[in-house]
Structures are given as structure tokens and as C-alpha cells.
Amino acid sequence: MLAGISHDLRTPLTRLKLGLSMIEHEDIPDLLRDVDAMSRMVDGFLDFARSEAEDRVEPTALGPLVAEVVETFRRQGHDVEHPAPDDPEGPLLDLRPLAIRRALENLLANACTYGRHVRVTLSFGEKAVRITVEDDGPGIPPERREEAIRPFVRLDDARNQDRAGVGLGLAIVADIARVHGGALRLGESGMGGLRADIVLAR
Ligand SMILES: Nc1ncnc2c1ncn2[C@@H]1O[C@H](COP(=O)(O)OP(=O)(O)OP(=O)(O)O)[C@@H](O)[C@H]1O
Ligand SMILES: [Mg+2]
């Protein structure tokens, strides 16, 4: 349903944008920015809905998956530390690999935006598996962590304004964790910034 609605919203939004661009008025640039923001939200929803639909549960080795995602961020020039887990492959877990990849990408995108040094750790406990992403940025104060996870919430507009995000990243991570019977936990990293854990039951 979400995918359908998002898709249907695209055409009128494009028309609205076109119409606005032909009008001369001092308020037009602001309105165009609003329409742009709406388009980005719709694209975000569509993206998400699509990847969900294609993704099947399959036995997945988290070790290589995490290492691969870390590598793509390194190639983009980010400083991402990734200590090798005790067991490099880890057990095969029944997961939706695309969704988990996306969740990790979202956390890494945030960490690389707000911090300079980032660390990704994978640990296999007896009952749970934990993917941890930490950075040395400003972090999120405890009383705002719940709020930050809500869809379309972007904290601190001042430092955020010039960035293209729509505030869906953490909401999507939390959703993916939940679908796997797990949770997203936000805390404080020893590195000084945010610590985000995706905890999955095994
Ligand atoms: N690692 C982090 N350090 C500090 N603040 C963070 C971090 N990750 C997220 N935040 C704060 O939480 C808000 C919500 O994050 P979220 O990923 O949901 O949205 P976004 O990154 O702004 O946009 P999107 O992910 O949709 O591109 C961010 O706008 C930011 O204020
Ligand atoms: Mg984000």
C-alpha cells in the first residue's frame, strides 16, 4: 500500500514542481524546496518498499556481508575500522540479507556524516548477534534518542540543513531489526559519538 501511494504521488508532485517553476513570486523558492523535500520522502518510501518486496529470508553469513559493506564505505574515502570477529564467517543465520545490508548502510551513512572515525564490530553471542556502528561525532543525547528513530525526524536543523536526508534512516533500521525479531539500540560510544547496535536473536 505504501509503495502504491508513494508511486501515485510522484506524478502530481512533478506537475506541481513544473507549475511552480513557471510562476514568479517571492515565495516560490521556498515552496519549491518543500516540493523537493516531499519528492525525496516519496523516493525514500519507494526504495524501501521495493527492497522489502524482493528480499527473502535465507541462511546468511553475516561476516562477509558486513565486511563487504564496510569496504564500500572505505572505497568512498571514509575511515572505517572493522576489527575481524573471532569467527570471520559466523554461523549461518536466517535473515533477509538485503534488508540487513540496508540497515548497516544507513547506520554507516550516519556515522560517516557525523563522525570522522567509525568502527563497525560484529559479535556473536549465545542468544544474540550484534552489529555495532560507532563514531566520534557529537552523538545523540539520551533524551532525544527515541525521537531520532521516528520517521522524518531530523535533530538539530542547524547542523542538518544542507544535508539531503529526510530522516528515514534510523526508522528503517529499527523496522528491519524488528522484522528480524530484534531491536535497534542507541547509546554512547567510547569513541565519543553515537553507538548504534542492531541486535538480532539467533
Ligand atoms: N551517528 C550520528 N551522530 C549524531 N547524530 C546522528 C547520528 N545518526 C543520526 N543522527 C541524528 O538523528 C537524526 C535522524 O537520523 P536518520 O538517519 O533517521 O535521518 P537522516 O540521516 O537525517 O536522513 P536519512 O537517513 O533519511 O538520509 C539525524 O538527522 C541526526 O540529527
Ligand atoms: Mg541517516
Side-chain angles (χ1 to χ4, degrees), residues 44-118:
F45 269 140
L46 262 179
D47 253 23
F48 181 51
R50 275 202 198 110
S51 66
E52 284 288 275
E54 288 160 10
D55 207 7
R56 272 176 227 293
V57 176
E58 43 183 276
T60 307
L62 269 183
L65 187 152
V66 170
E68 231 178 270
V69 175
V70 166
E71 198 43 46
T72 57
F73 277 79
R74 283 190 184 145
R75 272 202 298 273
Q76 291 162 34
H78 297 296
D79 175 11
V80 187
E81 199 186 317
H82 178 43
D86 299 336
D87 177 358
E89 291 270 323
L92 283 179
L93 302 165
D94 287 327
L95 304 170
R96 297 176 190 274
L98 285 181
I100 295 294
R101 182 180 291 265
R102 181 187 192 97
L104 180 56
E105 282 169 357
N106 286 357
L107 291 182
L108 264 165
N110 285 346
C112 292
T113 300
Y114 294 103
R116 288 160 55 91
H117 304 289
V118 175

Side-chain angles (χ1 to χ4, degrees), residues 3-192:
I5 295 172
S6 307
H7 191 261
D8 290 349
L9 276 173
R10 261 188 168 165
T11 315
L13 275 174
T14 310
R15 220 181 292 139
L16 196 57
K17 202 172 156 182
L18 205 68
L20 283 173
S21 67
M22 292 190 290
I23 302 171
E24 272 187 45
H25 187 277
E26 55 177 336
D27 291 339
I28 294 295
D30 273 350
L31 293 174
L32 275 171
R33 255 194 297 281
D34 285 345
V35 174
D36 269 341
M38 288 171 73
S39 302
R40 279 202 302 271
M41 291 176 202
V42 165
D43 286 347
F45 269 140
L46 262 179
D47 253 23
F48 181 51
R50 275 202 198 110
S51 66
E52 284 288 275
E54 288 160 10
D55 207 7
R56 272 176 227 293
V57 176
E58 43 183 276
T60 307
L62 269 183
L65 187 152
V66 170
E68 231 178 270
V69 175
V70 166
E71 198 43 46
T72 57
F73 277 79
R74 283 190 184 145
R75 272 202 298 273
Q76 291 162 34
H78 297 296
D79 175 11
V80 187
E81 199 186 317
H82 178 43
D86 299 336
D87 177 358
E89 291 270 323
L92 283 179
L93 302 165
D94 287 327
L95 304 170
R96 297 176 190 274
L98 285 181
I100 295 294
R101 182 180 291 265
R102 181 187 192 97
L104 180 56
E105 282 169 357
N106 286 357
L107 291 182
L108 264 165
N110 285 346
C112 292
T113 300
Y114 294 103
R116 288 160 55 91
H117 304 289
V118 175
R119 187 189 300 138
V120 178
T121 331
L122 178 58
S123 51
F124 301 105
E126 235 167 65
K127 292 204 178 123
V129 174
R130 189 182 295 259
I131 308 172
T132 305
V133 179
E134 302 171 83
D135 64 67
D136 62 350
I140 302 178
E143 70 278 8
R144 304 205 69 186
R145 286 177 194 150
E146 237 174 86
E147 183 189 348
I149 295 177
R150 267 184 248 137
F152 301 118
V153 170
R154 312 188 66 208
L155 305 177
D156 186 351
D157 268 356
R159 77 181 177 192
N160 249 334
Q161 260 167 6
D162 49 338
R163 299 202 169 111
V166 294
L168 270 180
L170 289 177
I172 288 173
V173 179
D175 199 52
I176 289 170
R178 227 175 285 128
V179 164
H180 287 86
L184 165 68
R185 300 223 178 90
L186 299 183
E188 198 180 321
S189 163
M191 295 168 75

